[in-house]
Amino acid sequence: MMKLLRYLLLCALVLPGAVNAALTIEIVGSGANQIPVSILPFVAENSLPQNMTSVVAADLQRSGLFKLVDASSVKMPPAEPGEVSYPEWRSRGAEAIVIGAVAARSDGKLDVRFRLLDVVKQTQLAGFSYTVAPAQLRLTAHKIADVVYEKLTGDVGVFSTKIAYIVKSGKHFELQVSDADGYGAQTVLASNEPLISPAWSPDGSHLAYVSFEKQKPIVYVQSLLNGARKTVAQFKGNNSAPAWSPDGSKLAVALTKDGNTQIYTINADGSGVKRLTHSSGIDTEPNFSPDGKNIVFTSDRGGSPQVYRIPADGGDVTRLTFDGNYNVTPRYSPDGKSFVFVQRVNGASFNIAVQDMATWQVQLLTDTRKDESPTFAPNGKMILYATEIGGRGVLAAVSSDGRVKQRLTTQAGDVREPAWGPLLKNQ
Amino acid sequence: MNKIVLSTLLVSLLAACSSQEVKEQPKAPVESRMPAADTGAQTSGAQTQDVAVNPLKDPNNILSKRSVYYDFDKYDVKDEFKPMVEAHAKYLGGNKGANVAVQGNCDERGSREYNVALGHKRAESVRKIMNVLGVSDKQIETVSFGEEKPRAACHDESCWKENRRSDIVYQGE
């Protein structure tokens, strides 16, 4: 019914070491109740190398939860609440507006101030100021969007988070990290052999991943601060499917060192490997619950691949999925109340579904042909996943209620294996 | 002594030139992560050629066939491929110096990680037949590429059936 179709062409920042690959974001669908909000131009914003309010507006637009009220006709934007003509914004249909100003400092940095104002009550909902280097303007804009999102929806904003994913071009593979909106992609690792399964450490400082560079899957952990990496699991046979414990001290991995693919835990430095599951089939794709007490995983112990749960220190295994004969790749929601997974539907397509932990109710979220590798945004509101359009791998996102959908595509190569990074509190 | 140093250097250089070089960015120095076995392959030009036909390469010999194919989400070796696997087991029994890697592969559908595990099961299914016929695990290594190294590139069953496969690869090939 509500059909909102917007194309936002976003150009990647050209930074040293950055990949100049633009991500196009296309939004389909919208939230049930869109909040009408207007982002007014910031005073002196035109002098900046980076327009900030367009970034804030694009973030809010992309969430599908806001209706952007046009403010482009504003010639003299207000810097303070006293300069705001509330009746005018009310007549334009805005319930909230964002105003702000930018000022250069003598040390080369910039002071950025903004306020979120309630148009109806004529009160301030939030107001912050930041002192930042010019290179941080984009990140600052994302943080402003996070504040607006949180104040108006009640949920934490995730616009200032990062995502990791794999890009395949021909036989060349790259592990890249970018902003959540696809900007500023940086290559973390390049290889001529496959890379899969990137996983963020809970503090966002490291990525675990699987590389085939030694002609078999081996688990590595790499620092995003200095690029240094460690081999965490390189046992006989396969070493795969890394997942971090919530405290970052260890990983769950799938190993074949004792025969079948089974789940083990191992310290983040590669020591102290301990077998967790004991089945005669495949046990793989472990994922810790947010409280660290349980692990969901994929197993074919019942004859077809299904989702199971086991206490993180071992114990009785509970089967969680029964619908259909192929349910794989479970990942807990950030609140631990549900998990997202991949379900084979009608024996043909692979789709993203979410299952409630308490009621066991399943909701199918996508309807394309080859959807895989779902990963929750750290606020639990969106799910990023990999899909295929015209034989090419692209990333897509769907809101956890299924209403809002986005597609992210690069100009070249296959994009797959997304992993949404954590919220960073002290950024 | 100098020769050893020189050849080590050569191996390092070959490793550095290899297509399997992995670059870490942004700050780590470029490191060569070549397994030793691969550099060996590049320096094997000095080996003498056998005049007799190598049974492993003879198109009229069943040993020249190397691939086992599977149904979707299946890993059992179908009857039609058993004589071929058994012939390789017999060859390995008679050539204790020969070693094989059995490489399991999957089509692109479904979870990449589940396919890594499924590819392993496929390779294991071949190993188990060879074990029953007396081949020691010392001569067989099983690895899985999951769906990551497809032989056929299209996105329908004509390619998928080609990619659901175990390959028997002799060391040095």
Side-chain angles (χ1 to χ4, degrees):
Chain A
M1 25 173 221
M2 272 171 292
K3 269 256 158 116
L4 178 71
L5 197 74
R6 295 271 157 85
Y7 293 89
L8 301 172
L9 250 180
L10 308 175
C11 305
L13 283 176
V14 185
L15 296 169
V19 178
N20 192 12
L23 276 175
T24 310
I25 301 184
E26 177 190 334
I27 306 155
V28 184
S30 63
N33 298 302
Q34 288 189 311
I35 303 164
V37 59
S38 191
I39 315 298
L40 278 61
F42 286 1
V43 173
E45 181 178 36
N46 289 338
S47 63
L48 297 177
Q50 169 70 58
N51 181 292
M52 298 187 75
T53 49
S54 63
V55 175
V56 176
D59 281 347
L60 297 175
Q61 177 98 66
R62 223 170 47 250
S63 74
L65 301 182
F66 299 89
K67 182 170 169 281
L68 272 296
V69 175
D70 183 38
S72 58
S73 61
V74 177
K75 295 282 182 295
M76 297 281 286
E80 298 297 332
E83 301 164 20
V84 173
S85 163
Y86 287 106
E88 184 196 338
W89 292 103
R90 226 160 120 176
S91 70
R92 291 196 192 197
E95 286 178 13
I97 61 169
V98 173
I99 62 169
V102 181
R105 290 158 52 102
S106 57
D107 62 0
K109 290 187 172 176
L110 298 151
D111 281 324
V112 180
R113 288 177 295 129
F114 90 96
R115 297 172 196 272
L116 172 65
L117 305 172
D118 184 321
V119 170
V120 181
K121 293 182 187 151
Q122 305 194 5
T123 54
Q124 177 171 316
L125 297 170
F128 286 92
S129 70
Y130 309 84
T131 302
V132 298
Q136 293 173 297
L137 284 172
R138 253 201 109 76
L139 178 60
T140 307
H142 289 315
K143 286 179 175 178
I144 291 170
D146 283 344
V147 172
V148 174
Y149 182 95
E150 181 165 357
K151 287 291 169 191
L152 297 183
T153 70
D155 294 310
V156 177
V158 293
F159 303 116
S160 61
T161 57
K162 302 265 186 191
I163 57 173
Y165 49 87
I166 308 289
V167 180
K168 183 189 182 213
S169 312
K171 292 193 168 173
H172 186 68
F173 295 80
E174 291 192 0
L175 170 58
Q176 296 185 358
V177 171
S178 77
D179 294 348
D181 63 356
Y183 268 83
Q186 302 263 349
T187 298
V188 171
L189 180 76
S191 175
N192 287 323
E193 294 294 335
L195 300 169
I196 60 170
S197 304
W200 290 87
S201 65
D203 67 357
S205 67
H206 289 75
L207 281 175
Y209 56 83
V210 174
S211 170
F212 287 73
E213 68 202 57
K214 291 187 178 170
Q215 300 303 315
K216 67 175 214 170
I218 293 170
V219 177
Y220 298 88
V221 168
Q222 184 166 327
S223 165
L224 293 173
L225 307 174
N226 61 16
R229 74 171 186 174
K230 277 187 305 235
T231 305
V232 171
Q234 186 179 7
F235 298 99
K236 177 174 167 280
N238 293 349
N239 306 265
S240 213
W244 294 85
S245 63
D247 67 2
S249 67
K250 57 189 175 187
L251 296 152
V253 289
L255 309 176
T256 62
K257 71 188 194 74
D258 299 318
N260 295 325
T261 304
Q262 296 285 293
I263 295 169
Y264 298 72
T265 54
I266 192 165
N267 294 330
D269 64 0
S271 68
V273 65
K274 226 161 63 183
R275 184 163 173 177
L276 181 65
T277 62
H278 295 82
S279 76
S280 57
I282 291 171
D283 292 344
T284 187
E285 302 188 302
N287 182 258
F288 278 90
S289 62
D291 64 7
K293 288 180 181 159
N294 289 290
I295 288 174
V296 286
F297 63 100
T298 305
S299 176
D300 72 345
R301 60 183 66 200
S304 66
Q306 300 288 345
V307 176
Y308 293 78
R309 180 179 59 202
I310 188 171
D313 51 4
D316 290 340
V317 170
T318 310
R319 181 170 167 175
L320 299 179
T321 55
F322 293 90
D323 204 8
N325 63 2
Y326 196 98
N327 294 299
V328 298
T329 325
R331 271 98 189 242
Y332 272 100
S333 62
D335 65 6
K337 289 178 179 167
S338 63
F339 65 95
V340 68
F341 63 105
V342 174
Q343 180 167 71
R344 191 179 187 211
V345 180
N346 299 326
S349 68
F350 295 86
N351 295 116
I352 308 300
V354 66
Q355 179 168 327
D356 190 282
M357 279 287 182
T359 65
W360 294 45
Q361 198 175 341
V362 176
Q363 186 190 356
L364 211 54
L365 298 177
T366 67
D367 56 8
T368 33
R369 202 175 62 90
K370 195 174 174 287
D371 308 333
E372 59 184 35
S373 308
T375 171
F376 266 104
N379 66 357
K381 293 295 159 185
M382 294 293 283
I383 295 151
L384 187 63
Y385 61 98
T387 186
E388 211 175 75
I389 296 169
R392 215 158 69 82
V394 299
L395 300 186
V398 59
S399 59
S400 47
D401 62 5
R403 297 190 65 104
V404 183
K405 286 176 180 155
Q406 308 170 0
R407 279 206 296 260
L408 295 81
T409 58
T410 52
Q411 289 158 334
D414 281 302
V415 191
R416 73 268 294 264
E417 298 286 275
W420 206 315
L423 279 174
L424 299 178
K425 302 259 160 30
N426 304 316
Q427 203 178 46
Chain B
M1 196 61 186
N2 276 339
K3 271 185 185 166
I4 293 168
V5 173
L6 189 64
S7 62
T8 310
L9 196 68
L10 272 173
V11 167
S12 314
L13 280 172
L14 282 170
C17 296
S18 157
S19 62
Q20 291 181 35
E21 175 183 297
V22 169
K23 289 178 202 146
E24 283 177 11
Q25 291 173 3
K27 293 196 178 104
V30 174
E31 288 180 48
S32 146
R33 299 186 190 280
M34 279 291 299
D38 287 30
T39 56
Q42 299 204 25
T43 54
S44 64
Q47 283 174 6
T48 53
Q49 292 282 320
D50 280 333
V51 180
V53 177
N54 182 345
L56 297 172
K57 306 278 186 199
D58 178 2
N60 296 318
N61 194 314
I62 193 167
L63 291 173
S64 68
K65 302 211 182 327
R66 305 298 184 80
S67 296
V68 177
Y69 296 91
Y70 304 87
D71 293 332
F72 177 73
D73 200 28
K74 292 286 188 289
Y75 55 89
D76 54 301
V77 176
K78 291 192 260 188
D79 285 345
E80 61 188 292
F81 301 108
K82 281 178 181 162
M84 185 266 289
V85 174
E86 286 160 8
H88 284 286
K90 204 175 152 196
Y91 178 87
L92 287 166
N95 295 272
K96 298 287 186 197
N99 296 311
V100 290
V102 183
Q103 302 167 341
N105 293 276
C106 302
D107 73 37
E108 64 183 357
R109 292 173 296 165
S111 150
R112 289 176 188 277
E113 280 290 354
Y114 183 74
N115 283 339
V116 169
L118 181 60
H120 174 76
K121 243 176 158 177
R122 286 177 176 163
E124 284 287 293
S125 71
V126 173
R127 182 181 65 81
K128 278 173 186 156
I129 292 174
M130 290 179 167
N131 283 158
V132 167
L133 295 170
V135 182
S136 151
D137 277 349
K138 285 177 192 156
Q139 283 179 275
I140 314 170
E141 187 192 4
T142 54
V143 295
S144 174
F145 297 142
E147 62 177 272
E148 306 306 324
K149 294 189 160 196
R151 181 186 280 174
C154 71
H155 302 288
D156 58 45
E157 178 60 20
S158 67
C159 288
W160 293 337
K161 67 180 183 192
E162 185 70 23
N163 294 334
R164 296 189 298 266
R165 192 184 76 249
S166 286
D167 291 327
I168 299 166
V169 180
Y170 282 79
Q171 194 176 50
E173 283 187 331

